[in-house]
Amino acid sequence: MDELLNIHFEQIEVGQVISLGVVAVDEASVKIYIERFLPSWNDSYGAPDGMLYALWSRLSFEACRRWSGFKMLAVDGVRYLRNPPAGELLRGRVTIMGKDPVGDNKGVVIAQQDMLDEAGRLVFSCLTRALVARQS
């Protein structure tokens, strides 16, 4: 796992696909989320959009925090395509779409980030821009 720490801008390649890992849509969390944040939502509809965003955000942060000097700058083009039921496993991935050096010390990485259900269907999608440190 140590080889995944301190990844610099130069080590990230356009076209690279990075796994974000897997997260479960567990029934207890869905019920708590609905109770606290969206009481009008019926749990038979599946996980609410805001909960999907939170699950993605957790997976994305855990994966991208290994990038040296990581700072999320923007999340754009957010799409919710499906509300998976409780019990479903979601798989996250990041596809590097582009990168631009910004001065001598950092660069911006542009990525498509997706969450897919067990059948491989797209559940959530967004475009991100993040600041990553360059090697000295």
Side-chain angles (χ1 to χ4, degrees):
M1 188 71 126
D2 288 341
E3 70 275 1
L4 297 177
L5 298 176
N6 296 319
I7 296 170
H8 289 86
F9 178 78
E10 293 81 4
Q11 296 167 291
I12 299 169
E13 298 189 20
V14 174
Q16 182 178 11
V17 178
I18 302 163
S19 172
L20 292 178
V22 176
V23 65
V25 179
D26 72 273
E27 188 172 352
S29 295
V30 171
K31 287 186 183 299
I32 289 170
Y33 185 93
I34 291 169
E35 177 185 306
R36 292 189 180 159
F37 302 109
L38 200 60
S40 62
W41 186 267
N42 186 322
D43 63 1
S44 68
Y45 301 154
D49 295 347
M51 184 175 179
L52 294 175
Y53 187 92
L55 292 172
W56 160 77
S57 184
R58 185 177 110 202
L59 285 180
S60 181
F61 175 77
E62 286 300 315
C64 296
R65 71 183 176 91
R66 300 179 195 126
W67 297 358
S68 185
F70 173 78
K71 172 150 178 51
M72 186 70 76
L73 299 174
V75 179
D76 298 312
V78 176
R79 306 258 191 289
Y80 299 97
L81 294 103
R82 183 170 175 273
N83 298 94
E88 187 133 4
L89 291 177
L90 302 178
R91 177 175 48 89
R93 70 178 177 208
V94 174
T95 304
I96 306 303
M97 305 301 287
K99 52 188 254 187
D100 293 310
V102 180
D104 294 333
N105 300 324
K106 55 194 164 207
V108 174
V109 175
I110 302 161
Q112 175 71 38
Q113 298 206 30
D114 303 314
M115 297 277 283
L116 300 110
D117 65 15
E118 293 174 18
R121 296 176 295 195
L122 195 58
V123 170
F124 170 88
S125 175
C126 66
L127 185 66
T128 60
R129 288 175 200 78
L131 205 56
V132 180
R134 295 182 72 183
Q135 290 176 319
S136 316

